Amino acid sequence: MRILVTVKHTPDLQSQRSFTDGHVTRSAEDGTMNELDENAVEAALQLVEAAGEGEVYALTVGGPDAVAAVRKALQLGAHHAIHVCDDAIAGSDVFGTAKVIAAAVTKVHEEAPLDLVITGMAALDGLTSMLPTALAAELDWSQLTLASALSVADGEATIERHLPDAHETLSAPLPAVVSVTDEANKPRYPNFKLIMAARKAPVAQWSLTDLGVDAATVGSGAARTSVVDASERPPRENRIKVTDTGDAGTQLADFLIEKGLA
Amino acid sequence: MSTVAVLIDHRDGAVTRPSLEALTLARSLGTPVAVWLGAAPGADATAQLGEYGAAEVRVVDGDNLRLSARAAAAVGAASEDAAVLLMISTFVSKEIATRLALATGAGVVVDAAGAELVDGKVETLQTVFAATWNVRSRIESDKAIVGIRPNTTMAAPAQTPGAATVVDIQVDLPETRERVVAVEAVEQGDGVPLAEAPVVVSGGRGTGGDYGLVGELAELLGGAVGASRDATDEGWISHEHMVGQTGTTVTPALYVACGISGAVHHRGGMQASGTIVSINMDPDAPIFDISDFGVVGNLFDVVPQTIARIKEHRGS
Ligand SMILES: Cc1cc2nc3c(=O)[nH]c(=O)nc-3n(C[C@H](O)[C@H](O)[C@H](O)COP(=O)(O)OP(=O)(O)OC[C@H]3O[C@@H](n4cnc5c(N)ncnc54)[C@H](O)[C@@H]3O)c2cc1C
């Protein structure tokens, strides 16, 4: 079983997140691996452990700091790490990013075939959830998204997914791109031995040239959308906080009635 | 005026309210045409689409339209002439948008709270980072696909109704590798679905699993019941009720949080709501930082009083 997991370097949810020049501000200090990608790494490790053989590749695309994301995946137990880093990638939209990841996946797949690419359900900084679909389409592989359960047997992957209107079971032949939700599993904690090993583990560094991707087709120049303005929302004004001394429920009702909400 | 296609969400043959909101928004961008996947709408639904301005109702029927590659081909065939395509932002529509964008070169913005034409290009408004930032994006490509969040435009009938001419679109849908093995419909309660509800009353760990009061207040206010992840994990209430970054994102006019601490994951799914009200025993709970009206108290004391007062007010 050979699985590649995509991981993204994103600002820590608890940090002050912001925009600079129309892009999410990223820095080494408060950056981390996208929390939801932990579920993707976990899903890959569990499949390899269950199969009793196999390898997990962690792949990230991003600036120099993004290497922290694949190091985190190594700490969790991934066997190999790849960091695609090229100035020309900066400012890519989801389609540019998918093109770069697809090229890197293809490079690994050509060395020895992969069974699966597993991604998180969304990146908690952008949350568009579009990348898995874009990647599957670029690769022309099967697409199984939002899995809350995933199994592989007889050359097929099967997932369950919970949509607001229906619970679905979908199957598709390998190789497949699968995105897993945070309900798919409980990510493990890194163990000390792996943390130490991850520090020294090699991380393959690939550029667009290594991948044969034309720089003009990615990056901000090729992006179909651009941020024209980003501003911090002002905090809510005139907030009221009361401590219940017996009539707070009534005060709350009066507040709603006065606002025309009840 | 250019054609603006709107992918209509429908349930049991009826047009959902977010679709009416999207049609309303579409009228400010051009001439709306409705795109309807599945068996053709009945007379009532067609008439309603006309009332909200749809010049045409383009129907594409076929098997397995739940698979995004097939749905994307269907929507693509029905919106070829449209410079702008609006959909309701859901996990499924985002996949359709992605496939269609790759096929057509369109630019996509999802989870938008609004869209307008500026110098002939579509600009969208979004809130990001758990609704702490406003972002305006511009779609540079000739074709724009925008996923709109429910409750961000006030639905209103058109001054001059559209003709709502029903047009059958024939298209060969692509074979897919993915197979639908089973689909089990989720029981939809009588109330409004969470994502569309104008009012959401949510209960968290603080309910201890008792959703009686939360449900009663939701019903009184004409809203839907939400929950935190901890509550759905406990099995107190089904997953469909979960509000948050990995659950449903809601933007109702009123959000009531009962016994919810306000973790960043939860806030990300509700912080853009109009008015936020919370009841929590812990004066330091982070939910108070984003509440217009916060009550430090026990929800089992506070909520019954609130319900009684509202009933009394309505009775008078
Ligand atoms: C990857 C990831 C994704 C996640 N996604 C989501 C998500 O989408 N949505 C989500 O909600 N969570 C999500 N979570 C979980 C989230 O981090 C919090 O753990 C969760 O929201 C907490 O739920 P809670 O507020 O009900 O419980 P708690 O944090 O335990 O808070 C319960 C609150 O109830 C109060 N309380 C107790 N009794 C009473 C009473 N009688 N009256 C009034 N107040 C009372 C307490 O003071 C406390 O503040 C996610 C977590 C992870 C790691």
Side-chain angles (χ1 to χ4, degrees), chain A residues 60-81:
Chain A
T60 194
V61 176
D65 297 334
V67 72
V70 280
R71 290 236 181 260
K72 175 75 189 278
L74 289 169
Q75 291 177 1
L76 293 169
H79 307 95
H80 308 282

Side-chain angles (χ1 to χ4, degrees), chain A residues 35-36 39 124 182, chain B residues 203-207 227-231 242-248 258-266 279-282 285 297-300:
Chain A
E35 204 172 0
L36 293 169
N39 298 97
L124 286 178
D182 55 328
Chain B
R205 182 170 289 287
T207 64
S228 69
R229 167 78 178 276
D230 282 29
M242 185 173 90
V243 171
Q245 289 192 312
T246 57
T248 302
C258 306
I260 290 180
S261 60
V264 64
H265 303 100
H266 187 81
I279 302 134
N280 196 305
M281 287 201 303
D282 173 7
N298 187 329
L299 72 95
F300 294 98

Side-chain angles (χ1 to χ4, degrees), chain A residues 11 13-14 16-20 24-25 35-36 93-95 121-122 124-146 156 158 161-173 175 179 181-183 185 223-257 259 261-262, chain B residues 66-69 91-92 94-95 97-99 101-102 104-111 123 127-141 177-186 188 199 221 229 232-233 239-240 242 245-248 253-254 256 264-265 268 270-279 283-284 288-298 301-303 305-307 309-310 313-314:
Chain A
L13 281 186
Q14 312 291 346
Q16 283 298 328
R17 295 177 286 169
S18 64
F19 273 83
T20 313
V24 177
T25 316
E35 204 172 0
L36 293 169
D93 63 6
V94 62
F95 305 108
M121 67 182 286
L124 286 178
D125 58 344
L127 277 178
T128 72
S129 295
M130 289 164 61
L131 184 94
T133 303
L135 182 59
E138 278 286 343
L139 288 167
D140 197 19
W141 287 13
S142 308
Q143 169 199 328
L144 296 169
T145 45
L146 299 171
E156 275 210 331
T158 299
R161 62 175 192 170
H162 295 171
L163 297 174
D165 68 328
H167 293 180
E168 296 179 339
T169 309
L170 305 174
S171 283
S179 74
T181 72
D182 55 328
E183 309 214 327
N185 52 46
R224 303 172 190 185
T225 52
S226 62
V227 171
V228 290
D229 186 44
S231 55
E232 202 165 355
R233 279 160 70 103
R236 286 170 189 266
E237 280 176 4
N238 307 321
R239 286 186 288 121
I240 304 165
K241 188 167 158 191
V242 299
T243 301
D244 187 24
T245 51
D247 67 345
T250 307
Q251 288 186 48
L252 172 54
D254 288 340
F255 171 81
L256 295 178
I257 292 163
K259 286 218 143 204
L261 292 165
Chain B
R66 294 192 73 87
L67 295 171
S68 63
F91 280 118
V92 172
K94 287 174 189 177
E95 295 184 4
T98 307
R99 292 253 168 203
L102 280 168
T104 61
V108 184
V109 172
V110 295
D111 295 330
E123 291 194 359
T127 59
V128 301
F129 299 153
T132 54
W133 281 68
N134 287 328
V135 172
R136 172 179 281 269
S137 302
R138 183 177 169 83
I139 300 181
E140 308 286 356
S141 359
R177 295 191 192 82
E178 301 82 22
R179 254 186 15 258
V180 181
V181 179
V183 188
E184 189 194 321
V186 170
Q188 303 287 342
V199 174
L221 298 173
R229 167 78 178 276
T232 56
D233 277 357
H239 175 82
E240 290 75 44
M242 185 173 90
Q245 289 192 312
T246 57
T248 302
L254 171 64
V256 184
V264 64
H265 303 100
M270 47 65 74
Q271 193 155 346
S273 303
T275 298
I276 299 174
V277 174
S278 58
I279 302 134
D284 298 323
F288 288 129
D289 299 342
I290 57 159
S291 299
D292 297 291
F293 196 100
V295 176
V296 182
N298 187 329
D301 298 333
V302 175
V303 177
Q305 216 177 61
T306 305
I307 291 172
R309 173 77 184 110
I310 293 171
H313 168 76
R314 289 192 185 163

